[in-house]
């Protein structure tokens, strides 16, 4: 079992729809959770981080964390073609600074 | 305010050669990380510095890999006797020791070993 799992996709949504990206992790002691966006050929760009159970909103993005279920999600409202990218879930384990990444979910927003 | 910078951006080398990459973190950041990313995968952690001290190394970091951060500012990653399996994007990230400690990535160095 991988430490951080994501559906590779592609996830295809029409422009203006809500895109829902999911991530599960195996280390129950994990403390911090991050979502990065990566365009093809570019480096990861931080979108959001979340530490506490519940929802955290930032503009069109909402991160959701459920530590009991070891589940993190990212919702993108009013999806735009420019949101088309790979979304990486990253987890910081207990007592560590290194991030463990999932393989990413490729999102395609259709105009 | 400049972000993380990495040089060179691309490196092509022949198998068996040594290569060195440089990373300059965001100026006030005291933590620096190296990751490696291959096609279709997320970044894999290699090593981490807090100031000049190397505090964590991955099992992925074989004897051929060495990293330094001599004055707690820029860092170098050297790969000796490169192998074709070393071909990847090498990413550097930095963060400021704080409660949030979010990592910001540089543009990466793409290594191709022929």
């Amino acid at each position: 079992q991988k430490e951080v799992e994501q559906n590779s996709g592609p996830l295809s949504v029409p422009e203006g729809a809500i895109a829902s990206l999911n991530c599960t992790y195996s280390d129950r002691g994990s403390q911090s959770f991050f979502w990065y966006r990566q365009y093809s050929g570019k480096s990861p760009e931080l979108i959001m981080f979340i530490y506490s159970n519940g929802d955290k909103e930032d503009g069109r993005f909402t991160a959701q964390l459920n530590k009991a279920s070891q589940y993190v999600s990212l919702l993108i409202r009013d999806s735009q073609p420019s949101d088309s990218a790979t979304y990486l879930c990253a987890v910081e384990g207990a007592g560590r600074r290194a991030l463990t990444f999932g393989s990413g979910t490729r999102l395609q927003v259709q105009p | 305010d400049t972000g993380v910078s990495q040089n060179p951006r691309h490196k092509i080398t022949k198998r068996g050669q040594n290569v060195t990459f440089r990373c300059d973190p965001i100026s006030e950041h005291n933590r620096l990380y190296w990751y490696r990313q291959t096609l279709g995968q997320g970044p894999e952690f290699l090593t981490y510095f807090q100031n000049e001290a190397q505090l964590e190394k991955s099992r992925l970091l074989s004897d051929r890999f060495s990293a330094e951060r001599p004055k707690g500012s820029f860092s170098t990653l050297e790969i000796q006797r490169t192998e074709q399996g070393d071909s990847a994007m090498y990413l550097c990230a930095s963060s400021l020791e704080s409660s949030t400690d979010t990592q910001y990535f540089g543009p990466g160095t793409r290594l191709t070993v022929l």
Side-chain angles (χ1 to χ4, degrees):
Chain A
Q1 181 191 5
K2 289 186 179 180
E3 293 183 57
V4 179
E5 296 215 40
Q6 297 181 255
N7 188 320
S8 61
L11 173 65
S12 185
V13 300
E15 184 174 356
I18 296 175
S20 178
L21 303 158
N22 305 316
C23 170
T24 59
Y25 60 94
S26 60
D27 181 358
R28 190 169 286 278
S30 297
Q31 302 284 339
S32 308
F33 307 85
F34 303 84
W35 284 99
Y36 287 84
R37 177 174 62 196
Q38 187 171 29
Y39 292 110
S40 181
K42 303 295 186 183
S43 63
E45 171 192 8
L46 180 69
I47 298 175
M48 291 190 69
F49 57 87
I50 187 167
Y51 304 121
S52 305
N53 278 327
D55 295 359
K56 179 181 179 183
E57 187 174 321
D58 184 1
R60 295 188 296 114
F61 300 96
T62 298
Q64 299 174 317
L65 174 61
N66 183 326
K67 289 188 178 180
S69 300
Q70 295 175 242
Y71 178 90
V72 194
S73 65
L74 179 70
L75 300 178
I76 306 174
R77 288 180 299 281
D78 189 25
S79 296
Q80 301 297 309
S82 59
D83 294 327
S84 298
T86 296
Y87 289 79
L88 297 164
C89 172
V91 175
E92 186 179 273
R96 300 190 66 207
R97 296 296 166 212
L99 294 179
T100 301
F101 284 83
S103 297
T105 298
R106 189 156 63 92
L107 174 66
Q108 295 177 340
V109 181
Q110 306 295 335
Chain B
D1 177 33
T2 58
V4 178
S5 62
Q6 293 187 245
N7 286 288
R9 296 291 304 277
H10 302 273
K11 178 71 177 179
I12 299 174
T13 191
K14 293 183 178 179
R15 190 174 50 189
Q17 298 295 304
N18 299 343
V19 294
T20 300
F21 309 141
R22 176 178 170 129
C23 171
D24 288 87
I26 294 171
S27 59
E28 66 270 23
H29 285 185
N30 63 334
R31 290 179 171 164
L32 187 149
Y33 312 77
W34 285 99
Y35 292 82
R36 179 173 66 187
Q37 186 177 25
T38 53
L39 195 63
Q41 302 298 315
E44 293 177 297
F45 170 75
L46 294 178
T47 190
Y48 145 63
F49 291 85
Q50 179 159 312
N51 301 310
E52 65 276 7
Q54 189 174 20
L55 296 186
E56 193 173 345
K57 289 171 62 173
S58 166
R59 288 189 298 271
L60 292 175
L61 211 64
S62 77
D63 293 346
R64 298 184 297 105
F65 288 70
S66 63
E68 294 183 340
R69 195 182 183 199
K71 296 185 179 178
S73 56
F74 73 91
S75 175
T76 58
L77 177 69
E78 181 183 17
I79 309 174
Q80 297 182 324
R81 304 181 304 281
T82 52
E83 302 172 355
Q84 287 185 324
D86 297 331
S87 295
M89 175 78 86
Y90 289 83
L91 294 162
C92 176
S94 71
S95 71
L96 178 64
E97 182 181 2
S98 68
S99 58
T100 56
D101 201 24
T102 50
Q103 296 182 28
Y104 296 90
F105 283 84
T109 295
R110 181 166 296 284
L111 172 66
T112 301
V113 182
L114 302 176

